[in-house]
Structure formats: C-alpha cells, structure tokens
Amino acid sequence: MIIDSHQHFVRLARHPEVEGFRQAQLAGNNPDALPNISDADVQKTLEQVISLMDTRAIDVAFASPRAKAMATHEGTAEQNAIWADLNNSLILRACKLNPGRFVPVGMLGQHPSYPSAQIAKQIERWANDGFAAFNFDPDGTGGRWQGLPFTGKHNYPVFEAAQSLDVPLVLHGSESINKNFPHTAVQYLIADITGFVQLMMAKELFKDFPRLRFLIPHGGGALPCQIGRWRAIGKYNSWASPDEILGNGNVFVDTCVYNDLNMQMLFDAVPLDNILFGSECDGAFPGIINDETKDHYDNTRRYVDDSKLTSAEKDRVYAANARRVYPRASRWIKS
Ligand SMILES: [Zn+2]
C-alpha cells in the first residue's frame, strides 16, 4: 500500500466555472448559485493525476483544494466561508467518483478578522462528511505576515475542533501578493518554516491541546538542513526543541523534497514515525523533468526507493504513518 499524503486537485480548481465564481465574488457580485459542473467534467480534470498515480503505483492520495487559490487574504469572511465550502464540495465529489483512490482534505474560510468559531463549525461539518484533515494557512494575509502568530488564543476554537474531531491541520501557505516571494518557490516554504518555529515558541499550545497534530508539508520546509539551528535556538530561548514537538507526536512532515540528497537528509534529521510519503504530484511543477533521474521531479517515490531505508521502514513512510496520523482516512481506503 502506498499513500500519497500531499496532493491538490489543481486542474479541478482551475475549471473556468470555479475560477469565475471566485472572480465574481471578489468583484462584489456575489453569485446566487454555485457553479454547475458535471461529473464528467470533474473526472476529466483528474485523468492526468490518476494516470500518474497508476504509473507510480500509488494506491491512494490525500487530495485538497489548490493551495494558491485558497487566497483567504482576499474576500470577506462570509465570502471566504462560501469559497471554502465550494472547494470542499468539489473535493468530496471527486473522491466519491473514484472510490478507493482519494481521501478528502479540506480548506477553511480563514480571514484576517479571525472568524474562528465559524471555521470550527466548518471543520465539524466537513469532518462529519468524511474529511480526514484540513489545510490551514499560518499566514492568511497573502504573504504580508501581518497577523498574530497562528498559535495564539484567537485560533483556540479551531484547535479545539481539530483535536476533538481527531483531524490534523496541514500548515500550508497560499498566494503571495509580494512578487519577491513567488508562492510555490518561497511563500510555501516560509509558511513551513514559520509554522514549525511558531510551534516551538508556543509554550502553552500542546499543554492545552496535547492531542493536536500538525503536518508541516514540503519536508518541513528547511527542517532537513536546519534542525541543528533550531535545536540551538530552542535551547537559547527556552522554547520547545524540534525533537520535543516531533517526539511528542504533535508535528509531522511529508517527503515533498525533490532529490536523493535532501530526501536522505530528511530521513537523518526527522524520526521516521514523523514522516509521511507525499509528492504534490501534478501540482507544483507538472511534468518538469529532473535531469538526474530523467523522470518527473515530483515522482518522489524514486527518492524514497533509492534511500537507505529498509523495506519495513519504507512501509512506515509509505502508508502506516499516514493511516495513524489521519485516522479518519480509513473509511476511504480499501484495506
Ligand atoms: Zn501543497
């Protein structure tokens, strides 16, 4: 069994009806009706990703809305709730149309005004509909980073809902309005690094929510090469150490790094029980070839297969960890 814990339905999100809906919202013309997209149209947007999964022998993927398009720095709190619900409903349909292949991961109607009670209700609604986790942007201001650290009490209703419903929060960045920080190349990694360090700094968070779990995507940002720095700074500032938040089972990372060297560094830096296989297949840089492997960069199976892990260790990374960290995924996975 191979589970890809990090996928986005980018082509579905780029359907003209979906993008048109958001554009109308942001222009102030709040549409009365949600886009009317046929099952055949939904399925067509998934053909490429299903074909790549088959080629790479990936059984199941955890799929969420396009991260860039979450863009919750735009719109009102009410518009963003509707926008998140629309994206989640499309994800759910896509998963139901392909039984056994996908597990739904949602987005949330975040807004700089912190509508936490509304977001908590959204988590409850979609978790009850089968969602296994939710993407949560630790910035939410479009790359301006003008908000409070996300670990603060303003988000406690969100954390209460996530803990009680046993759904991890994936700390995933979104659109950047700053052209110095392209979203996939910089802003997402800044979100990973910032999210991880804020979790080290948050002294009360895991005392208040001991079973709360966060997934830091893209190999934990700079974690494979900078864990030593954060061990030192954690001691210097009396923050939690990286090893403490990983070891307590509160923080996990995925394998979305794109070469053998950095994959091995990830396995050396982070305990194996904290690493979930992921690829961002067909999302971040579709079809781009790695000159070393002559294969797509995002075929991260190659780098895991080529690593020094034993086959039992690979099994943990490929499936067992994902099933343990995302317990609500089990209803979607054929055993
Ligand atoms: Zn992603």
Side-chain angles (χ1 to χ4, degrees):
M1 166 76 65
I2 296 190
I3 299 172
D4 183 342
S5 70
H6 189 160
Q7 223 184 64
H8 304 277
F9 284 152
V10 173
R11 289 164 201 263
L12 179 56
R14 299 192 77 170
H15 190 288
E17 294 273 339
V18 179
E19 291 193 329
F21 182 91
R22 184 59 167 170
Q23 282 160 10
Q25 267 195 331
L26 297 181
N29 310 317
N30 291 315
D32 291 331
L34 296 177
N36 186 17
I37 302 173
S38 68
D39 285 352
D41 255 17
V42 170
Q43 201 59 13
K44 199 166 179 337
T45 68
L46 306 178
E47 278 173 3
Q48 176 74 359
V49 76
I50 290 171
S51 156
L52 285 166
M53 286 167 68
D54 289 343
T55 304
R56 299 172 188 179
I58 292 170
D59 300 283
V60 185
F62 295 177
S64 64
R66 186 184 190 198
K68 175 181 190 281
M70 295 193 300
T72 54
H73 60 288
E74 300 183 299
T76 65
E78 294 73 24
Q79 285 176 326
N80 291 349
I82 294 167
W83 175 233
D85 285 342
L86 164 60
N87 278 282
N88 291 345
S89 65
L90 287 169
I91 294 287
L92 188 60
R93 263 176 78 197
C95 292
K96 285 181 175 171
L97 284 170
N98 297 277
R101 298 313 302 273
F102 297 110
V103 174
V105 171
M107 66 168 277
L108 297 166
Q110 292 179 246
H111 185 264
S113 64
Y114 307 121
S116 303
Q118 181 177 291
I119 293 171
K121 283 201 186 104
Q122 223 168 13
I123 291 176
E124 188 178 352
R125 172 192 167 180
W126 291 106
N128 288 335
D129 264 345
F131 278 61
F134 294 89
N135 290 346
F136 189 84
D137 182 358
D139 170 24
T141 66
R144 300 177 183 88
W145 292 95
Q146 289 169 321
L148 299 165
F150 82 95
T151 50
K153 290 214 170 4
H154 58 290
N155 276 324
Y156 267 32
V158 178
F159 302 148
E160 272 169 27
Q163 177 173 272
S164 70
L165 291 158
D166 213 8
V167 286
L169 295 173
V170 180
L171 293 180
H172 204 306
S174 182
E175 175 64 303
S176 163
I177 56 127
N178 188 329
K179 291 196 185 330
N180 292 293
F181 305 139
H183 64 284
T184 42
V186 183
Q187 171 65 5
Y188 290 2
L189 299 184
I190 291 175
D192 302 334
I193 293 167
T194 307
F196 188 80
V197 172
Q198 286 185 2
L199 291 172
M200 289 171 56
M201 293 167 66
K203 291 195 186 309
E204 302 301 321
L205 183 63
F206 294 124
K207 286 186 193 143
D208 294 338
F209 300 100
R211 290 177 291 108
L212 189 58
R213 297 189 298 286
F214 293 95
L215 189 294
I216 314 278
H218 318 111
L223 202 50
C225 53
Q226 290 294 3
I227 193 165
R229 181 181 187 86
W230 293 332
R231 281 175 180 145
I233 289 173
K235 262 190 188 175
Y236 185 69
N237 288 328
S238 301
W239 299 341
S241 72
D243 306 288
E244 185 181 338
I245 59 176
L246 290 163
N248 288 343
N250 296 117
V251 180
F252 300 84
V253 304
D254 66 28
T255 64
C256 290
V257 295
Y258 299 100
N259 59 334
D260 285 324
L261 171 66
N262 292 107
M263 190 66 80
Q264 192 57 52
M265 285 169 70
L266 175 69
F267 293 145
D268 290 343
V270 175
L272 267 194
D273 282 340
N274 295 73
I275 304 173
L276 283 60
F277 176 69
S279 79
E280 291 182 283
C281 168
D282 201 37
F285 21 79
I288 301 301
I289 299 295
N290 181 339
D291 293 332
E292 286 178 15
T293 63
K294 313 295 182 203
D295 192 356
H296 294 164
Y297 270 104
D298 64 14
N299 185 4
T300 52
R301 271 214 61 189
R302 275 185 172 272
Y303 317 125
V304 177
D305 280 346
D306 290 348
S307 73
K308 291 182 234 157
L309 299 186
T310 65
S311 79
E313 288 170 335
K314 285 177 188 165
D315 286 346
R316 284 153 68 193
V317 170
Y318 274 137
N321 292 344
R323 299 189 81 144
R324 192 183 72 251
V325 177
Y326 291 64
R328 282 179 178 261
S330 59
R331 67 187 270 190
W332 296 93
I333 299 173
K334 292 176 185 161
S335 49

